[in-house]
Amino acid sequence: PRRIKSNRCSKSIFMSLISLASVKMASSSFSSVVARLNGLMTTTTTATTHFLKKAPAVATTSCMMMMSSTPRRSIKVLAALYPDPLCGYPPEYARTNVPTIKDTYADGTRLPTPKSKPEYTPGELLGCVSGELGLRSFLEKQGHTLVVTSDKDGEESEFEKHLHDADVVISQPFWPAYLDEARLAKAKKLQLVITAGVGSDHVDLKACKSPGVQSGRLRVHSSGTTSKEEEEKKTQQNSDKNKPPITVAEVSFCNSISVAEHVVMLVLVSVRNFVNSHEMARVTSNGTQKSMCGAYDDGWNIADLVQRAYDLEGMHVGTVGAGRIGLAVLRRLKPFDVTLHYTDFHRLDKSVEQELNLTFHETPQELAQACDVITINCPLHSGTEKLFDDDMIRNHMRRGAYLINTARGLIVDRDAVVRALNDGHLSGYGGDVWFPQPAPLDHPWRTMPWSAMTPHMSGSTLSAQARYAAGVREILECFLAKKPIRDEYLIVHGGRLAGAGRHSYIQDCHRKVEDEEWEEIHGIPA
C-alpha cells in the first residue's frame, strides 16, 4: 500500500513480514528478523497493527508471538444452534430493520454493549446454524475456533464429538444442548457455558460448581479394575477435583419482553378460542371447512366457535413468578381491565403493587384458587418441577381455568394437562415450552384439544436475536480479556450462585436437601 512506501520504518517492518511469510528460515535468521522487528516495534505500533491485519497468516502468527511475552492460548467455542430454515437461509426479510429500543431495559439494566462492532445487521437470522450468532469472524480473527452444529443429542452427535476439548459452550433455551453431570465430566477443558437467551436449567448448575465431584465426593467407579487402572483413575479423579469451577452465564433480560408479549398473545388466543376459529376460516384442499366437532361443510359455523369464546375483561389473571417476564406480563395485561394476582419468593415493592393493583399470594396454590387465567413465569428447579400436577390442577385451580406456560415444560405434568383438557377441567392450555426439545412427533401435546402451542420460539424473535447475539459477544470479550463478566449475566461463578443466578434460584436453596454441598453453591445460609 502507498502508506507503507511513504514511511521508511513502516517499509522495514513490511519487508520483514514478507520474509517471514514467504521464506522457510533457519532459527538463526528467524531470530535476526525477530530482533529487527522488535527494534522497530517501539517506533511504530500503528503500522505494525495494520500489517498484522493484511499480511499472510504465518506472518501474523509470528508477530503476535513477539508482541506478547506470554502468547494468548487459542480457545475452542462449541455452539449448539437450531437448524436453518428448510427453504434455506433467507436472502431477504419481511422488514428491512427491527425497531430500536433505548439504551436500557425497563428496570434500568443496560443493553448488551460489546466493544467490538458486530459484522451483522440487527434483524438478520442469527440463532440458526448459518447465523452463528455473528461470531465466526469475531473469533477467527483472534485465532480461535468456532464449531456450530444443530446435532446436539446423543453420544454420536456432533456436539458430543467436540465437547471433550471445548473451552466454551454456547446453547439456547429454544434448542438446548443438555449439559448434565455425565456430559460435563467429559468436558475436561470447559471453562464457560453461555446461554444465548434467558434460563440455564438445561445445565446441571450443581455439577458446574466443582467438575468431577459429585455431592462433595469423588465419582464412584466400577470395581474389578487392576491396581494400575485404579491408580490412573485416582490420578484422573484428583485432576478433576482440582479443576476450577465452570462459569455459567446468560444474557439476562435480552428477550424478556419478547416472551411477555407472547404470553399476552397466548392468553388472548386461548380465551377467545382463536386457534379453532382460524382453522375454520381456512379452506381445506377439497374446498370444505372443518368444524370443531370434526364435521365438514361449506358454512362458517360461528356457533361452534363462540360457544368457547369469552372476553378477558373482568377475569382474574395471575402469574407464578413476577421477575422480569412476570412483571412485564402484569404491566401489559393491566389495560385489559382484569384483576391481577401474583406469587413470588421475592415480593414486589409496595409501590408496584399499588400501581398495578396487585393481590399477592403466599403460595401458588392460593393464587390458583383465585384466578381464571394462570401464567407461569418462574424458573425451573426442583421446587417448581411438576408444580402443576393433577393435585394442583384439580384441587386448586378453578374448573374452566386457562393455563399458560412459556417458562419450562417440566414445570407442569405433561399427562395431567392432557387429562384436564380432555375432561374439561381446563378450558385451554397455551405454551411454547416442551420437554424434551425438540418434542417428538408422538408428544401428546401435539394433538391434545383446546390448546394453543408453538415450538419454543417466543424468545427468539429477530429483535431478540440481535440482543442476545450482542450479549454473547460481550460475555466472550470479557472472558477472552480475563475481565469480570457483568454481574447480571452470571448464574454460577467461582463455585457459587452469582448475579442473576442468586435471584432466580434462591428459592431452591431453602428446600430440604440431602446433599449439603448444594447449600454451598448458593452461598446463602439455610
Side-chain angles (χ1 to χ4, degrees):
R2 295 187 191 91
R3 71 180 72 177
I4 296 173
K5 296 180 180 179
S6 65
N7 186 300
R8 181 179 178 183
C9 181
S10 300
K11 187 176 180 180
S12 298
I13 297 175
F14 178 73
M15 294 307 295
S16 298
L17 287 172
I18 294 300
S19 298
L20 285 172
S22 59
V23 180
K24 186 176 181 180
M25 299 171 292
S27 59
S28 58
S29 61
F30 176 82
S31 300
S32 64
V33 175
V34 170
R36 181 183 180 191
L37 282 172
N38 278 331
L40 294 172
M41 200 69 69
T42 57
T43 309
T44 171
T45 303
T46 305
T48 306
T49 303
H50 176 78
F51 300 137
L52 288 176
K53 294 179 179 178
K54 301 299 183 182
V58 64
T60 303
T61 304
S62 302
C63 285
M64 288 304 294
M65 292 170 61
M66 294 182 297
M67 292 175 69
S68 173
S69 57
T70 305
R72 177 187 294 174
R73 184 180 71 84
S74 63
I75 67 166
K76 179 177 179 179
V77 178
L78 174 60
L81 305 179
Y82 47 75
D84 288 356
L86 294 176
C87 297
Y89 197 77
E92 59 182 3
Y93 296 87
R95 293 176 54 90
T96 55
N97 55 35
V98 293
T100 57
I101 58 177
K102 55 187 179 180
D103 295 334
T104 59
Y105 298 114
D107 68 346
T109 303
R110 74 178 190 274
L111 269 65
T113 53
K115 295 186 180 300
S116 59
K117 184 178 180 180
E119 293 79 9
Y120 57 82
T121 301
E124 293 181 1
L125 181 57
L126 302 171
C128 65
V129 170
S130 291
E132 301 178 325
L133 295 176
L135 292 175
R136 184 164 298 281
S137 177
F138 163 73
L139 289 170
E140 291 185 348
K141 282 180 180 179
Q142 302 180 65
H144 306 302
T145 301
L146 174 65
V147 177
V148 180
T149 182
S150 62
D151 182 19
K152 63 183 180 66
D153 297 320
E155 293 184 357
E156 300 301 318
S157 66
E158 285 298 311
F159 182 85
E160 190 95 3
K161 292 175 183 177
H162 289 279
L163 182 60
H164 69 98
D165 63 345
D167 299 274
V168 179
V169 166
I170 302 172
S171 184
Q172 301 174 104
F174 333 106
W175 193 261
Y178 296 101
L179 287 173
D180 57 14
E181 189 174 24
R183 268 189 163 175
L184 288 169
K186 298 176 184 178
K188 301 299 183 183
K189 297 176 63 179
L190 188 59
Q191 303 174 60
L192 174 65
V193 176
I194 304 175
T195 299
V198 176
S200 298
D201 49 272
H202 59 282
V203 183
D204 188 333
L205 302 182
K206 186 176 177 182
C208 289
K209 172 202 169 207
S210 186
V213 178
Q214 181 182 24
S215 302
R217 299 174 295 276
L218 292 178
R219 299 183 188 280
V220 178
H221 294 272
S222 59
S223 59
T225 58
T226 65
S227 57
K228 182 179 179 180
E229 290 173 333
E230 289 176 349
E231 186 64 29
E232 290 176 348
K233 287 183 177 180
K234 184 177 180 180
T235 300
Q236 183 61 52
Q237 288 176 341
N238 290 333
S239 174
D240 288 345
K241 186 176 181 181
N242 294 327
K243 181 182 176 182
I246 297 168
T247 294
V248 181
E250 62 185 44
V251 191
S252 301
F253 217 151
C254 66
N255 57 5
S256 298
I257 302 305
S258 310
V259 177
E261 291 180 357
H262 202 87
V263 171
V264 174
M265 177 188 73
L266 288 175
V267 169
L268 292 170
V269 162
S270 299
V271 171
R272 300 305 292 264
N273 195 24
F274 174 83
V275 172
N276 291 293
S277 302
H278 175 69
E279 289 181 355
M280 184 176 289
R282 294 176 63 86
V283 177
T284 62
S285 57
N286 62 3
T288 61
Q289 294 167 314
K290 185 179 180 180
S291 70
M292 290 199 313
C293 63
Y296 288 88
D297 65 15
D298 57 358
W300 285 84
N301 302 307
I302 292 175
D304 276 359
L305 302 175
V306 298
Q307 65 176 311
R308 296 185 68 93
Y310 297 88
D311 291 343
L312 181 61
E313 181 183 20
M315 287 190 175
H316 288 253
V317 183
T319 174
V320 177
R324 292 186 173 103
I325 296 174
L327 181 56
V329 169
L330 293 171
R331 291 191 183 281
R332 281 154 179 75
L333 286 175
K334 187 176 186 299
F336 286 90
D337 293 328
V338 295
T339 302
L340 296 172
H341 304 251
Y342 83 99
T343 183
D344 197 298
F345 189 76
H346 308 273
R347 186 162 182 173
L348 295 171
D349 190 88
K350 286 290 185 182
S351 62
V352 177
E353 290 186 348
Q354 294 172 1
E355 173 195 352
L356 300 177
N357 194 24
L358 300 177
T359 299
F360 173 73
H361 298 270
E362 291 287 346
T363 67
Q365 290 77 8
E366 291 180 10
L367 177 137
Q369 294 170 2
C371 292
D372 304 295
V373 180
I374 298 173
T375 170
I376 303 172
N377 302 292
C378 60
L380 170 65
H381 50 67
S382 64
T384 59
E385 185 173 343
K386 291 190 177 181
L387 175 63
F388 283 82
D389 55 8
D390 278 311
D391 177 65
M392 173 70 92
I393 293 173
R394 297 184 181 279
N395 297 329
H396 297 280
M397 290 184 69
R398 295 178 175 181
R399 186 185 183 283
Y402 301 87
L403 183 59
I404 309 300
N405 181 16
T406 59
R408 289 296 182 265
L410 280 176
I411 295 178
V412 305
D413 183 317
R414 183 194 71 176
D415 296 330
V417 168
V418 176
R419 287 189 289 268
L421 290 172
N422 280 324
D423 65 21
H425 196 86
L426 285 178
S427 286
Y429 180 87
D432 83 322
V433 286
W434 311 64
F435 184 83
Q437 294 186 163
L441 292 176
D442 61 353
H443 195 293
W445 287 1
R446 287 182 177 265
T447 55
M448 64 186 180
W450 321 124
S451 62
M453 297 297 300
T454 63
H456 194 176
M457 47 77 69
S458 62
S460 194
T461 62
L462 294 180
S463 303
Q465 286 180 44
R467 292 190 291 272
Y468 66 67
V472 168
R473 179 180 289 240
E474 180 184 345
I475 293 170
L476 283 172
E477 286 178 345
C478 293
F479 173 74
L480 293 172
K482 297 184 179 180
K483 294 182 178 180
I485 296 171
R486 257 206 257 179
D487 192 59
E488 59 262 32
Y489 288 165
L490 292 173
I491 302 300
V492 172
H493 182 63
R496 307 166 76 86
L497 280 180
R502 285 178 62 88
H503 181 91
S504 297
Y505 298 96
I506 186 174
Q507 185 176 11
D508 207 24
C509 73
H510 286 273
R511 74 185 196 281
K512 183 178 180 180
V513 292
E514 297 178 0
D515 182 4
E516 295 178 355
E517 296 297 321
W518 188 220
E519 296 298 338
E520 294 182 12
I521 189 175
H522 296 80
I524 303 169

